[in-house]
Amino acid sequence: MKKIQIKTVKGFNEILPPESFRWRLVEDKFRNLLEGYGFAELRLALLEPTELFARSIGGETDIVEKEMYTFLDRSDRSLTLRPEGTASVVRAYNQYSLGKISEINKLYYIGPMFRYERPQKGRYRQFNQLGAEVFGEASFYQDAETLVMLAQFFHALSLKGVDLHLNSLGCEACRPAFRDHLKSYLDERKEALCGDCQRRMAENPLRALDCKNPQCREAVTDAPLISDALCDGCRQHFEGLCGLLEVAGVDYQVNPKLVRGLDYYTRTTFEFLAGDLGAQNAVAAGGRYDRLVEELGGKATPAFGFAIGFERLMMLVDSEVTPLTSPFAALIPLGEEALRLLFPIHVELNCRAAVTTLSFQQKSLKSQLKKADKEGVMYALIVGPDELLSGEAICRNMRTKEQSKLSLNRLGEALRELYHEC
Ligand code: HAM
């Protein structure tokens, strides 16, 4: 048979060891911080009815128009691999009537998302997000608490050069008039806009404000700004948020052209940008979406949330983090009888987090010591025919090269003591 090598689908990002250890350390930090702030984890479905995303993210967005993994299942239902988490969390919030269980619901999720984008550094077709959503709180204090929490997370990971960009997109009271105003401005420059912006002008002209196309950028240089058109409620909300960020010592920049590629936002939108990431520089993003729960069939409920791009975050985290479970001792058997003696000690110690390695192959002392050295263990414990006869194992300190003897009768106990000493 012809040999073939099957590989992952293009752009589907996988995390291999030891990188996966670093991911888990960061994930644990995220869980601890969020649970401290009263968030609980939601584990969501990966596949959803396609309609969920068309109705929430917006039918005229890049994600829905071009980037979704959509297919018919065996019953001809149109299903989509989730391109983001917010729509699914809102679907779950409504489906399980979470608003009835408690007035405020704080939920977080960690997992893969799927978008058919052009793969490049920091942009994948399968990528992971650490996300969180708060339901039932309309106050700008909630926006501030969540943004400060994110800033604390980045600080705890010692990230540098991450800047918070902030905007308000207004609400149904002030946005329609602004949209019309912006539309007339864009109408006069229609020829200069890219195909996407021209097409979206009728439904969502705001997207032209943060289109990356150089010609569109040029065309919107003097465009009207939503910051000049906010109603009193939205203005107070935004000023209140900025004031709280200042009190908490979180730096931010107001960017009145920050619109974002999802249609569900109202009032606050934000991005954390990192210069070190290159072209794909948003490490986290989110905002308020006070209308979405109702639009997806639930009771009107204000909401605020964010998602961190896990791959992009890990590009910024110091790579020096060492795995938690590095072995402290290599158990070195010389012969079948020694292996049989060491095996129960090995599994018992590993179960108590005192990780040891044990080779099941009959290898020479030299090659086992070489491997132990490579693994960076503190001790090598040697048991061969001589040690079995004398009743004492050789314990070699791999750093100092000093050797001592340990009684075979209480080997497990002695190794546990050594582990607690290191
Ligand atoms: P988003 O801006 O589409 O927002 O994605 C959030 C973050 O996910 C981005 O800032 C980026 O770090 C990462 N990301 C997005 N696409 C890719 C990709 N193709 N490859 C690698 N990383 C990527 C949302 O998803 C909203 N659900 C955020 C939100 C939560 N808003 C309210 N609640």
Side-chain angles (χ1 to χ4, degrees):
M1 205 163 62
K2 199 178 150 217
K3 259 195 172 175
I4 52 160
Q5 208 186 12
I6 300 173
K7 296 199 173 153
T8 46
V9 176
K10 184 176 174 196
F12 275 51
N13 194 39
E14 295 180 303
I15 319 300
L16 307 181
E19 184 65 3
S20 51
F21 286 110
R22 297 178 59 234
W23 275 57
R24 220 210 38 231
L25 293 181
V26 171
E27 195 176 310
D28 287 348
K29 275 203 168 129
F30 181 78
R31 286 177 193 280
N32 288 340
L33 180 67
L34 268 82
E35 286 170 12
Y37 271 96
F39 285 80
E41 186 179 12
L42 245 191
R43 297 198 184 202
L44 294 161
L46 290 189
L47 266 184
E48 296 278 7
T50 302
E51 193 192 358
L52 174 66
F53 302 114
R55 290 175 71 136
S56 53
I57 297 172
E60 292 201 354
T61 56
D62 278 351
I63 296 179
V64 173
E65 279 182 344
K66 310 176 197 166
E67 296 170 1
M68 296 207 304
Y69 278 91
T70 298
F71 60 93
L72 294 179
D73 74 359
R74 290 175 193 276
S75 313
D76 275 346
R77 274 182 298 242
S78 177
L79 301 181
T80 295
L81 277 171
R82 62 180 190 191
E84 58 113 44
T86 309
S88 299
V89 180
V90 174
R91 194 258 313 127
Y93 180 84
N94 288 341
Q95 182 173 344
Y96 305 112
S97 305
L98 298 181
K100 284 193 189 145
I101 299 168
S102 120
E103 197 189 338
I104 312 273
N105 276 272
K106 292 176 152 186
L107 302 163
Y108 76 86
Y109 50 94
I110 301 173
M113 307 291 158
F114 305 86
R115 296 185 193 174
Y116 194 84
E117 293 192 82
R118 199 167 49 76
Q120 63 181 89
K121 181 175 168 249
R123 189 163 73 187
Y124 311 97
R125 291 180 173 173
Q126 176 176 335
F127 61 98
N128 291 273
Q129 285 187 344
L130 301 152
E133 317 288 345
V134 183
F135 295 96
E137 183 55 84
S139 165
F140 58 78
Y141 274 84
Q142 187 58 61
D143 308 26
E145 184 192 65
T146 315
L147 287 171
V148 172
M149 180 181 76
L150 261 175
Q152 287 171 339
F153 181 53
F154 295 149
H155 183 73
L157 294 172
S158 309
L159 299 199
K160 303 216 167 54
V162 178
D163 299 320
L164 170 59
H165 288 229
L166 210 54
N167 191 20
S168 173
L169 292 178
C171 64
E172 66 269 33
C174 51
R175 199 171 354 173
F178 172 73
R179 191 166 40 210
D180 291 345
H181 184 33
L182 178 65
K183 196 170 164 298
S184 346
Y185 171 91
L186 295 174
D187 263 335
E188 288 166 22
R189 295 156 181 83
K190 199 169 171 183
E191 301 312 313
L193 300 178
C194 71
D196 281 344
C197 286
Q198 287 192 17
R199 217 162 17 82
R200 288 174 188 163
M201 247 172 63
E203 279 292 314
N204 195 356
L206 270 75
R207 282 310 315 276
L209 291 176
D210 73 358
C211 178
K212 303 285 178 279
N213 183 306
Q215 262 182 281
C216 296
R217 280 191 174 202
E218 171 85 35
V220 299
T221 318
D222 301 318
L225 298 176
I226 182 108
S227 44
D228 298 327
L230 294 179
C231 62
D232 286 349
C234 287
R235 188 179 307 285
Q236 279 160 17
H237 189 99
F238 194 62
E239 285 171 3
L241 166 61
C242 293
L244 289 177
L245 291 176
E246 277 152 37
V247 169
V250 174
D251 292 337
Y252 63 90
Q253 294 174 36
V254 176
N255 175 359
K257 289 191 178 147
L258 178 69
V259 174
R260 313 221 340 93
L262 305 106
D263 282 355
Y264 48 61
Y265 293 112
T266 50
R267 296 195 163 167
T268 314
T269 51
F270 68 88
E271 284 182 343
F272 280 89
L273 302 181
D276 286 354
L277 286 175
Q280 303 304 319
N281 61 350
V283 63
R288 183 162 278 286
Y289 48 96
D290 289 342
R291 312 258 320 124
L292 187 58
V293 175
E294 197 180 6
E295 276 164 14
L296 290 179
K299 191 169 148 246
T301 308
F304 185 91
F306 68 84
I308 303 170
F310 211 155
E311 280 79 2
R312 295 187 194 176
L313 178 69
M314 293 311 289
M315 287 176 188
L316 300 170
V317 173
D318 187 2
S319 59
E320 289 303 301
V321 189
T322 44
L324 277 178
T325 47
S326 58
F328 92 103
L331 309 186
I332 299 185
L334 302 171
E336 176 67 29
E337 199 183 333
L339 175 61
R340 213 169 319 121
L341 179 116
L342 288 174
F343 183 78
I345 295 170
H346 163 67
V347 290
E348 208 253 350
L349 286 169
N350 284 29
C351 178
R352 292 166 189 265
V355 179
T356 58
T357 58
L358 175 65
S359 170
F360 304 147
Q361 295 161 14
Q362 306 291 340
K363 295 245 171 90
S364 70
L365 176 61
K366 196 173 157 204
S367 90
Q368 293 199 59
L369 276 174
K370 204 168 147 195
K371 185 164 163 272
D373 206 31
K374 209 168 144 198
E375 285 162 351
V377 297
M378 190 74 173
Y379 297 100
L381 194 98
I382 304 157
V383 181
D386 291 349
E387 287 69 34
L388 287 171
L389 263 184
S390 70
E392 285 182 322
I394 298 171
C395 181
R396 183 181 169 100
N397 184 318
M398 297 296 280
R399 313 267 149 89
T400 62
K401 308 290 178 214
E402 276 168 34
Q403 296 201 157
S404 56
K405 302 253 166 128
L406 296 178
S407 162
L408 291 183
N409 288 333
R410 54 179 304 276
L411 201 51
E413 229 176 303
L415 282 168
R416 258 204 315 275
E417 283 163 18
L418 281 178
Y419 172 70
H420 288 298
E421 277 166 23
C422 36

